[in-house]
Amino acid sequence: MNVVLEDTAPALSVSHVSKVFDVSAPWLNRVIERRPKLYVEAVSDISFTVEKGTCFSIVGESGCGKSTVARLVTGLYATTNGDIRFGTGAKGRPIKVQMIFQDPHSSLNPRWRVGDIIAEPIREMKLRDTEKETLDRVRELLETVGLGADDALKYPHEFSGGQRQRISIARALASEPELLVCDEPTSALDVSVQAQILNLMRRLQDELGLTYLFISHDLSVVRHMSNHIAVMYLGRIVEQAPVEELFTNPQHPYSKLLLATIPDIENPKRRVEAQAGEPPSPLNPPSGCAFHPRCPVALSKCSQSAPDLCPVSPEGKVACFVAQAAETADPVPVAL
Amino acid sequence: MVQPIPVPEDSINATPALDVQGLSVEFPTRRGVLTAIDDVSMQIAPGEILGVVGESGAGKSITGLAVLGLLEHPGRIAQGAIHVGGRRVDTLSEAELTKVRGREMGAIFQDPLTALNPLFTVGKQLVETIRLHTPLSKAQAEERALELLRSVGIPAPEERLRQYPHQFSGGMRQRVVIALALAAGPRLIIADEPTTALDVSIQAQITALLRKLCDETGVGIMLVTHDMGVIAETADRVCVMYSGRVVESGPVSDVIHNPQHPYTKGLMAAIPSLHDRVEVLSQIDGSMPRLNARPSGCAFHPRCPYAGAKCAAQKPPLQQVGSTRAACWLQQGGTE
Ligand SMILES: Nc1ncnc2c1ncn2[C@@H]1O[C@H](COP(=O)(O)OP(=O)(O)OP(=O)(O)O)[C@@H](O)[C@H]1O
Ligand SMILES: Nc1ncnc2c1ncn2[C@@H]1O[C@H](COP(=O)(O)OP(=O)(O)O)[C@@H](O)[C@H]1O
Ligand code: SF4
Ligand code: SF4
Ligand SMILES: [Mg+2]
Ligand SMILES: [Mg+2]
């Protein structure tokens, strides 16, 4: 039956999506200084699916394209190539998406009362019939995120960073989304407050059946939140796996580097020797596998051709010649 | 390796690189005097890294700025004494302080660009700083600049000396700033969030570099950060700050694995683990008070699960409890 099929379909399918930005100097300067047009491929040919009710995370270093993926999924940018599809949500309509940003200070209008900030999408999308129902809904949302009904009358500056992030979450929930795209939602918060927000997000996921596309550079946060993880390097997904698999048995040399360099409170490394190079400029990406200048196990072909993202375990995929060769030497069943 | 510039023969090891006693910093405002730092004491031995950790607004940066004599007007030291390498610095005139700052103390801040002049080559900035604070000739200073760049791990230092700051990546720029801080062979370096703006893999390189320089040159480092992971991997001892006071201090592994103060305990438990996954993170409810609303007695009492009547009435002093020092009534005769 059609409906059943759609119900089990992923909440989000991203296939072969690329995004190219034109970062050329202004036309006149180019003509005078004889400079060519300049493009950055911020995201190149990435594919992934997010199952309903799960959390899919994207990790990677600054500039690797995480936020660009978030903005493509929420429609803030148009794709250059590929397509993004949403599964079926409530009442048979496509799943609704909302975004939560890193900085709760700049994402809330300072001149509006919190109640109006949260009510705006409800009024805009006419989700409630009367003003009273709208205000009831605002009150309910404030309580859902752990604030009080009387906070509706205050202004954003009267709240701490963590409380402001709660307000952003309430506003995102106001339009009744089923998929929340969260771009570094706790990076601007202190750890004790971060724990409050992460706990809130997990509770909301259980209570409302939300699906998350979660973006962070903090691997311990990602480990806490996600079911699946994709590791990005210079615009590409280099490895993708269930969370336990990625943390206990990373396959890609870059995933290994990330896990090896992240500060670990429980087993501090206290190193005095530095590790492996720097991320290259996205304006001028290395040939072949973009990681090859930093890769400790690079082969000669790595600088000539780029490896595809191929399955190496039932749910794990990796884009690395060496890791793929290791897997074919010791084959595992691959799910279709 | 960079040779430490010879210092007077007084037994270096007996004199702490930094000794802060009973420091209080105030900001007079129209609505009254705000006490940003309240009776803070700390010592750093030569060759030691002291981590200073706490949530934003806890007073970490103000402590560092007070030591450097760089408090912004109207901030002022209201009480206490600061000795750097045995010499009292908080009572010096601005002119004397300027000399001591470059010669005895170096500073590294979060954004390397603020410390570098975009108009001069890196080599020129290094040589000028060296010559300002040491008796070296131009040729000797150039030699030392080269040595410094090499010791902070900059490849091809001869060429790099002729380049401008914008030609360096973020991580490389921070290395240049570290080289500048080391230029005159200081006894103390204040590093305020030196890796916060950098990617994890680069962050690990910079913290490894700080450890190496500390071991090799015997400089003492105050490493200010909100990231407990960085502290765990880099510092020897740590001071935990909360609302302008040191609430706990001790050897890094003791503070991390066996914290005594309820705030430190809460903070440690709130950090998601890289190894185990829990359903719900332990959280400290509420947030750190603002300066103008600091609670009486122990400033943590409104958030503390163990608070008793005494906690709201009297400030607990910092006292030895097992292997760390904690400022909490629980271990000092009870909270009632
Ligand atoms: N609007 C834009 N115009 C031009 N270039 C852009 C634009 N947005 C992003 N880029 C470029 O695309 C690349 C990926 O950027 P993106 O913001 O997605 O990185 P990120 O992974 O989110 O990094 P961070 O961790 O720093 O947030 C970068 O090189 C960036 O400079
Ligand atoms: N120029 C200033 N005027 C008034 N208060 C200040 C000023 N600078 C800092 N403060 C206050 O002093 C406290 C400590 O600040 P800071 O040392 O910067 O904290 P952090 O631990 O985040 O580095 C904060 O409450 C901050 O708001
Ligand atoms: S493809 Fe080659 S260069 Fe790239 S990660 Fe694998 S081994 Fe390293
Ligand atoms: S002094 Fe009292 S309120 Fe403060 S941390 Fe100790 S028990 Fe808690
Ligand atoms: Mg981003
Ligand atoms: Mg600070």
Side-chain angles (χ1 to χ4, degrees):
Chain A
M1 223 170 81
N2 215 354
V3 180
V4 177
L5 251 177
E6 289 184 339
D7 255 8
T8 56
L12 169 69
S13 318
V14 170
S15 47
H16 302 290
V17 165
S18 300
K19 176 69 188 174
V20 176
F21 289 108
D22 181 348
V23 292
S24 316
W27 174 81
L28 196 61
N29 296 50
R30 285 208 318 275
V31 174
I32 296 171
E33 296 159 29
R34 293 172 174 273
R35 278 196 274 163
K37 283 203 109 176
L38 217 53
Y39 299 96
V40 174
E41 190 164 28
V43 165
S44 64
D45 191 25
I46 68 166
S47 303
F48 60 88
T49 56
V50 184
E51 301 300 327
K52 281 183 189 153
T54 67
C55 175
F56 185 96
S57 294
I58 302 180
V59 299
E61 294 178 277
S62 190
C64 71
K66 307 181 296 294
S67 299
T68 305
V69 174
R71 291 169 161 264
L72 287 166
V73 168
T74 43
L76 291 170
Y77 290 151
T79 57
T80 307
N81 269 311
D83 58 14
I84 295 174
R85 282 168 203 242
F86 298 99
T88 316
K91 300 177 194 140
R93 287 197 293 251
I95 275 178
K96 281 202 249 175
V97 193
Q98 266 302 326
M99 185 147 168
I100 301 172
F101 296 91
Q102 168 171 355
D103 186 1
H105 303 249
S106 57
S107 60
L108 301 174
N109 187 332
R111 282 188 286 274
W112 285 26
R113 288 182 199 274
V114 164
D116 291 322
I117 291 175
I118 298 172
E120 188 199 34
I122 304 174
R123 292 177 181 141
E124 192 84 357
M125 299 162 81
K126 301 202 170 49
L127 295 172
R128 290 293 183 277
D129 296 327
T130 65
E131 187 57 17
K132 178 171 178 312
E133 282 173 356
T134 303
L135 295 181
D136 284 345
R137 174 71 176 146
V138 168
R139 190 167 312 133
E140 182 185 288
L141 285 164
L142 281 170
E143 280 161 9
T144 304
V145 299
L147 294 171
D150 48 344
D151 287 328
L153 296 176
K154 298 185 190 158
Y155 290 92
H157 75 258
E158 298 175 61
F159 294 88
S160 69
Q163 290 170 322
R164 272 183 274 206
Q165 198 56 296
R166 289 176 193 267
I167 297 168
S168 321
I169 293 173
R171 185 187 50 181
L173 293 177
S175 57
E176 295 165 20
E178 290 140 300
L179 172 65
L180 273 188
V181 177
C182 316
D183 190 358
E184 309 262 10
T186 60
S187 299
L189 305 176
D190 286 310
V191 257
S192 75
V193 179
Q194 165 175 288
Q196 297 168 10
I197 299 297
L198 294 178
N199 284 340
L200 170 65
M201 291 182 63
R202 281 278 278 269
R203 180 168 61 79
L204 292 174
Q205 186 175 27
D206 289 347
E207 288 174 9
L208 308 174
L210 296 174
T211 306
Y212 288 135
L213 177 59
F214 193 90
I215 289 174
S216 178
H217 66 276
D218 185 333
L219 288 173
S220 59
V221 169
V222 162
R223 171 164 185 136
H224 177 69
M225 292 298 290
S226 355
N227 303 97
H228 281 80
I229 300 184
V231 180
M232 284 186 75
Y233 191 74
L234 222 65
R236 292 179 180 270
I237 293 180
V238 296
E239 180 164 4
Q240 190 181 313
V243 62
E244 282 308 313
E245 195 172 314
L246 193 98
F247 273 85
T248 52
N249 191 17
Q251 296 292 318
H252 196 281
Y254 177 63
S255 313
K256 292 181 186 173
L257 173 73
L258 269 188
L259 286 169
T261 49
I262 162 174
D264 185 350
I265 297 177
E266 287 139 283
N267 308 305
K269 293 173 279 286
R270 305 187 71 82
R271 194 179 279 117
V272 290
E273 285 315 314
Q275 302 246 309
E278 301 216 350
S281 157
L283 275 176
N284 189 11
S287 60
C289 169
F291 189 60
H292 85 259
R294 302 174 78 187
C295 182
V297 295
L299 311 169
S300 58
K301 70 170 165 184
C302 299
S303 57
Q304 282 131 41
S305 55
D308 290 326
L309 188 67
C310 298
V312 288
S313 75
E315 291 183 272
K317 294 177 186 168
V318 62
C320 167
F321 295 125
V322 171
Q324 287 163 3
E327 282 309 319
T328 37
D330 179 16
V332 288
V334 170
L336 292 175
Chain B
M1 152 176 182
V2 219
Q3 296 305 317
I5 287 191
V7 284
E9 284 293 315
D10 61 4
S11 50
I12 301 178
N13 288 319
T15 317
L18 175 69
D19 182 14
V20 175
Q21 291 297 336
L23 177 70
S24 296
V25 173
E26 294 176 346
F27 287 95
T29 69
R30 262 176 297 157
R31 296 207 207 135
V33 174
L34 299 176
T35 308
I37 303 293
D38 181 12
D39 193 15
V40 160
S41 300
M42 53 181 69
Q43 285 79 38
I44 305 178
E48 181 181 54
I49 301 185
L50 175 74
V52 176
V53 72
E55 308 193 19
S56 76
K60 309 180 295 293
S61 299
I62 297 289
T63 305
L65 291 173
V67 170
L68 289 164
L70 290 176
L71 282 175
E72 255 171 65
H73 182 82
R76 61 177 185 222
I77 294 177
Q79 250 167 32
I82 303 170
H83 288 83
V84 173
R87 174 165 186 194
R88 182 146 186 192
V89 294
D90 57 310
T91 48
L92 295 179
S93 71
E94 189 53 47
E96 291 170 306
L97 199 57
T98 309
K99 269 191 226 155
V100 173
R101 209 181 287 134
R103 176 73 182 84
E104 308 276 342
M105 306 187 251
I108 306 168
F109 296 111
Q110 177 168 341
D111 180 4
L113 276 182
T114 57
L116 297 170
N117 188 331
L119 301 178
F120 297 111
T121 63
V122 160
K124 187 170 165 65
Q125 296 183 52
L126 274 169
V127 168
E128 285 200 344
T129 309
I130 294 166
R131 296 204 63 195
L132 190 64
H133 298 293
T134 69
L136 298 184
S137 69
K138 183 145 186 283
Q140 287 170 316
E142 277 166 1
E143 189 50 37
R144 181 166 171 82
L146 204 60
E147 226 172 72
L148 282 164
L149 283 191
R150 203 172 284 133
S151 76
V152 297
I154 292 186
E158 293 85 356
E159 283 154 49
R160 289 303 205 166
L161 277 177
R162 288 192 292 274
Q163 294 185 344
Y164 292 86
H166 75 264
Q167 293 170 290
F168 289 67
S169 69
M172 283 294 161
R173 266 181 220 140
Q174 197 60 296
R175 287 171 196 265
V176 172
V177 173
I178 295 173
L180 266 175
L182 285 169
R187 304 211 191 196
L188 176 70
I189 287 182
I190 309 284
D192 191 349
E193 308 270 5
T195 62
T196 305
L198 306 173
D199 282 321
V200 266
S201 66
I202 307 304
Q203 171 175 305
Q205 296 172 0
I206 298 293
T207 53
L209 173 63
L210 290 177
R211 276 224 68 83
K212 181 184 93 148
L213 293 171
C214 217
D215 293 350
E216 286 180 359
T217 67
V219 65
I221 298 182
M222 182 196 285
L223 176 65
V224 173
T225 171
H226 65 278
D227 188 335
M228 210 60 187
V230 170
I231 297 275
E233 301 217 322
T234 321
D236 301 299
R237 284 186 310 116
V238 57
C239 280
V240 182
M241 291 190 70
Y242 185 82
S243 192
R245 304 197 80 202
V246 173
V247 295
E248 182 155 8
S249 73
V252 155
S253 64
D254 293 319
V255 172
I256 287 177
H257 297 293
N258 195 14
Q260 299 298 320
H261 194 281
Y263 171 68
T264 322
K265 287 184 187 173
L267 192 66
M268 295 311 306
I271 303 173
S273 165
L274 275 172
H275 306 280
D276 306 300
R277 197 176 157 116
V278 293
E279 270 314 300
V280 182
L281 291 170
S282 115
Q283 64 181 57
I284 311 176
D285 289 330
S287 54
M288 202 175 63
R290 296 181 190 181
L291 281 191
N292 56 7
R294 183 179 289 153
S296 59
C298 169
F300 187 57
H301 83 258
R303 301 174 76 187
C304 180
Y306 311 103
K310 190 171 184 182
C311 303
Q314 290 179 49
K315 272 185 220 171
L318 196 61
Q319 279 197 357
Q320 196 74 33
V321 189
S323 52
T324 79
R325 289 157 66 82
C328 171
W329 291 123
L330 272 184
Q331 299 97 354
Q332 299 180 37
T335 61
E336 293 309 322

